Amino acid sequence: MDLKHSGTGAAENTDSYMAASKSTDMISPKEKESKGAKVGVGVGTGTGTGNAPPEGYRVYARRWAVLILFVLYSASNAMQWIQYTIINNIITRYYGISDKWVDWTSMIYMILYIPLIFPGSWFLDKVGLRITALVGIVGTCIGAWIKVCSVDPSLFYVSFIGQSIVALAQVCILSLPARLAAVWFGPDQCSSATSVGVFGNQLGVAIGFVLPPMLVPNSEDLETVGKDLQMMFYMVAGLTSVLLVLMVLFFQDKPPTPPSAAQEASQRLEGNEAEQVGFMQSLKNLITNRNFILLLLSYGINVGVFYAISTLLNPVVLKYYPNHEVDAGRIGLSIVLAGMLGSVVSGIVLDKTHKFKETTLAVYALSMVGMWIFTFTLDTGHIAVVYLTASLLGFFMTGYLPVGFEFGAELTFPEPEGTSSGLLNASAQTFGICFTLFYSEIFTAFGDIAANTTMAVMLIVGTIITAATRSDLRRQNAHAGSAAGNP
């Protein structure tokens, strides 16, 4: 089904930017051409400025439907990441495997993403949002149904195959929020839209924390455990099947007209083969960008610590609070729900202030503080305290995710948002693997205090790197340059 629409935007509610806003509103095509040249974006003779209506840039009401669909799609994949590790003790007993194998059901997400990030980013640049998203939801759905067939103590390998296919599908998810926001939303909503897009991943992780302990309680009867696992797998497979149908019917590639001067310039560049920057050249531009390399390191450290804590949360909580599997899941839920709130707040702050460096540094430093507090409050004997400190940690640590995406898009404009986001995610997965393995070994040998302290020290390093990153806001400069020609 072809969901591309004509450029008229007829019969749909749209919002045109007002001249008083900070965006590139109400710029005539001629002015946009001259300003596009100033920000280093090629303008071909007789090309693409006609896409923008003469009354100014507009955003379309359907953008919210596209964003909500993406949130649900992203959640359906992310909820399966932590599905096994949050009930680690139950899975090891049912399948008769070591806890290391259960840890690998989480780490496989990170390992498979790293070698596929470059092909995935190239694929997104070539085929656009719609095809990329459809490939992702198909993979997520297939993997979920394979897991339905794995409910037997001798079939862990089948479950692992299904988990691996779902992990492969995330390549078509993690790089999309910043790209979707740039393609569909105006400059004064872009950061908030990215936050909502990342919110989908966090929502899925939250569901993955809370549902498995509720659906698969710790029972001595392995047959009962098997029936509970079967029900959980069927529920996830059914949800992904419904989302597959909705995505095919309603998820669209891009609006009839670009929502901003920066996006119009980007689309014009994509359509002009003579001036189009190849994927490898774009990649070279990114890896030679000093500020972006610093962000890669700091972002990877922060998210890597989050991955390690999430993967090992079950044994850490059970060490101090035995038989509290459900609480372990709910503490994970608290981390992610607080992070969702942090993401939304951070997005709003970025849209209102455009203080990308300052916001990034503040959120990072507070993540580090939250980690120290969490480390030394686990053994208080009051699990309510753990809920509170975990929520504080989550508000800043997972709230940092969209901030990093948006700061990366600013530092690397006009390179494709999908490529910069993909590299940030690859860094996060790499650090996530290393930190998870490192955390597990330290936890086994020396206990949780030593493991958590090590992660807190890593966040100190990340904070220093963030402070050393310069605030080179290229995308904001592009908007300001276009707006300067606005009468």
Side-chain angles (χ1 to χ4, degrees):
M1 179 178 180
D2 185 7
L3 292 174
K4 292 185 178 179
H5 296 263
S6 67
T8 62
E12 179 177 3
N13 291 331
T14 62
D15 301 316
S16 294
Y17 292 123
M18 303 305 295
S21 76
K22 297 178 183 177
S23 62
T24 53
D25 11 20
M26 312 297 279
I27 304 170
S28 68
K30 183 176 180 180
E31 289 166 340
K32 284 179 282 187
E33 279 196 22
S34 64
K35 295 302 173 184
K38 286 186 179 181
V39 297
V41 179
V43 179
T45 304
T47 62
T49 52
N51 283 338
E55 64 271 19
Y57 294 102
R58 59 175 59 177
V59 290
Y60 295 79
R62 73 185 81 162
R63 70 193 186 279
W64 297 109
V66 172
L67 182 59
I68 290 171
L69 266 179
F70 174 77
V71 165
L72 297 176
Y73 151 55
S74 178
S76 72
N77 184 280
M79 67 188 291
Q80 300 181 62
W81 166 52
I82 211 77
Q83 189 177 47
Y84 295 94
T85 58
I86 198 60
I87 50 174
N88 184 307
N89 56 320
I90 299 172
I91 295 296
T92 54
R93 190 163 55 84
Y94 179 77
Y95 285 109
I97 57 175
S98 71
D99 57 358
K100 298 298 183 185
W101 272 110
V102 182
D103 291 345
W104 275 101
T105 63
S106 167
M107 289 192 292
I108 195 67
Y109 264 66
M110 310 172 206
I111 288 172
L112 291 179
Y113 185 85
I114 295 169
L116 294 175
I117 174 54
F118 298 128
S121 296
W122 174 85
F123 187 74
L124 173 60
D125 290 343
K126 289 297 180 182
V127 305
L129 285 171
R130 174 174 164 81
I131 300 300
T132 303
L134 290 181
V135 170
I137 189 62
V138 167
T140 300
C141 187
I142 291 173
W145 279 107
I146 288 176
K147 285 194 251 183
V148 170
C149 304
S150 70
V151 182
D152 184 274
S154 64
L155 295 179
F156 176 74
Y157 73 94
V158 176
S159 207
F160 197 82
I161 290 171
Q163 184 78 345
S164 299
I165 293 174
V166 177
L168 284 170
Q170 73 164 332
V171 175
C172 298
I173 299 173
L174 295 184
S175 299
L176 264 61
R179 176 68 172 265
L180 188 151
V183 168
W184 280 93
F185 289 80
D188 289 339
Q189 293 179 331
C190 198
S191 295
S192 296
T194 301
S195 299
V196 174
V198 174
F199 175 95
N201 184 270
Q202 296 172 329
L203 174 64
V205 174
I207 296 171
F209 271 124
V210 74
L211 276 189
M214 294 174 62
L215 296 175
V216 190
N218 194 0
S219 172
E220 294 299 323
D221 184 5
L222 290 185
E223 186 176 345
T224 300
V225 173
K227 290 179 180 178
D228 292 338
L229 283 171
Q230 187 92 64
M231 176 60 68
M232 178 175 72
F233 292 148
Y234 267 122
M235 289 176 62
V236 175
L239 172 65
T240 57
S241 299
V242 172
L243 285 172
L244 172 58
V245 174
L246 292 176
M247 292 285 290
V248 169
L249 292 177
F250 302 113
F251 192 87
Q252 301 175 22
D253 190 59
K254 60 184 178 181
T257 60
S260 67
Q263 185 56 213
E264 184 190 23
S266 178
Q267 292 181 12
R268 186 188 309 125
L269 188 62
E270 290 174 3
N272 189 337
E273 294 185 2
E275 300 181 16
Q276 187 172 358
V277 177
F279 176 76
M280 294 307 297
Q281 180 61 45
S282 177
L283 189 60
K284 180 181 178 181
N285 293 342
L286 291 176
I287 63 177
T288 55
N289 183 328
R290 172 190 174 275
N291 293 315
F292 183 65
I293 293 300
L294 292 176
L295 180 63
L296 276 180
L297 293 173
S298 59
Y299 184 90
I301 290 172
N302 186 292
V303 184
V305 170
F306 169 69
Y307 286 161
I309 292 172
S310 299
T311 301
L312 280 301
L313 186 62
N314 175 274
V316 169
V317 172
L318 293 185
K319 175 183 176 181
Y320 294 103
Y321 307 95
N323 301 317
H324 280 65
E325 291 90 358
V326 173
D327 279 304
R330 289 174 179 170
I331 289 169
L333 174 67
S334 300
I335 291 174
V336 179
L337 288 180
M340 292 179 184
L341 178 60
S343 294
V344 173
V345 171
S346 298
I348 293 173
V349 169
L350 288 178
D351 278 334
K352 296 296 183 182
T353 66
H354 301 290
K355 300 289 185 181
F356 290 85
K357 164 68 180 291
E358 294 83 350
T359 304
T360 303
L361 181 58
V363 173
Y364 209 114
L366 291 170
S367 298
M368 179 265 295
V369 172
M371 187 67 208
W372 284 108
I373 295 173
F374 177 76
T375 298
F376 294 104
T377 54
L378 280 168
D379 61 351
T380 61
H382 301 284
I383 200 164
V385 174
V386 182
Y387 275 94
L388 180 62
T389 57
S391 299
L392 177 67
L393 174 65
F395 182 87
F396 295 109
M397 181 170 285
T398 58
Y400 171 79
L401 300 178
V403 177
F405 277 155
E406 282 298 283
F407 195 26
E410 289 292 334
L411 293 175
T412 59
F413 183 84
E415 310 303 336
E417 295 87 357
T419 306
S420 61
S421 297
L423 287 174
L424 288 171
N425 282 317
S427 175
Q429 311 292 348
T430 303
F431 278 100
I433 295 167
C434 296
F435 285 174
T436 299
L437 293 172
F438 195 36
Y439 189 103
S440 179
E441 292 299 324
I442 296 175
F443 176 72
T444 301
F446 304 104
D448 63 289
I449 297 295
N452 286 330
T453 299
T454 301
M455 296 298 103
V457 170
M458 292 296 100
L459 289 175
I460 292 177
V461 174
T463 303
I464 295 171
I465 294 173
T466 301
T469 307
R470 295 172 185 167
S471 184
D472 181 16
L473 306 183
R474 300 180 181 184
R475 188 170 62 178
Q476 292 301 312
N477 292 339
H479 292 316
S482 294
N486 186 25

